[in-house]
Amino acid sequence: MTSWHERFQTKEYLYGTEPNEFIKKIHPNLKLSGDALAIAEGEGRNAVYLAEQRMRVTAWDIAQSGLDKTVQLAKNRSVTVSTELVDLSQATWPENKWDEIICVFGHYPKEVQQKTFEGVKRALKPGGYFLMEVYSVDQLQYGTGGPKTEQLLYGPEEVLSAFNDYRIVHFFTGEVVRNEGILHNGLSHVIQLAVQKPV
């Protein structure tokens, strides 16, 4: 498999430059300000969107080429995004740092999923929000984007279980149409989550 660093070494933004539809819909309703973290952020489209909403944004990704494109996209849009090269399997999560953390189509093995959820819960400030849209295990039947193995997809029960002590603002699993760049196209099966950390 081509590494993410190699995959993002294109002029074209493989997932487009516009934010994910779920993030675009949910984020404004939260009336947030302060510090935001976008994990597994790829080429930066969602981080740049949050910066345009006047958040102070940090983007984490495993691919330096993706982070470079994030910086360029931010520059093109006249905003600033800080970037950090982070492998989520080895990430060190600070405590109570961010007002918002987002994850859009961040797919990694089950053990890293759980470790990441634990890290998110540690790193959110009390009252902070976690927003996520990912492909569910049912996405394998659709073939419109995402991993080709169930091990890298998400089950609704495990997602809800990970945040069972948080306030659920939004939860959905089912079909949506996504046209985000050349790699996410068509009818898809996703899990959407928006939760708030207890104060």
Side-chain angles (χ1 to χ4, degrees), residues 34-52 55-61 63-64 66-75 79-86 97-98:
D35 300 301
L37 173 67
I39 61 173
E41 174 54 10
E43 302 162 303
R45 62 198 176 101
N46 301 298
V48 168
Y49 168 75
L50 293 182
E52 290 175 326
M55 301 294 288
R56 293 183 297 273
V57 187
T58 300
W60 284 3
D61 201 81
Q64 185 61 50
L67 296 176
D68 293 343
K69 289 169 89 170
T70 298
V71 171
Q72 184 60 52
L73 182 60
K75 183 179 178 182
V79 295
T80 300
V81 174
S82 299
T83 60
E84 296 180 13
L85 189 66
V86 176
K97 181 167 183 178
W98 283 290

Side-chain angles (χ1 to χ4, degrees), residues 157-168:
E157 298 85 359
E158 60 201 21
V159 170
L160 284 172
S161 176
F163 292 94
N164 62 3
D165 52 343
Y166 276 41
R167 183 173 78 90
I168 296 177

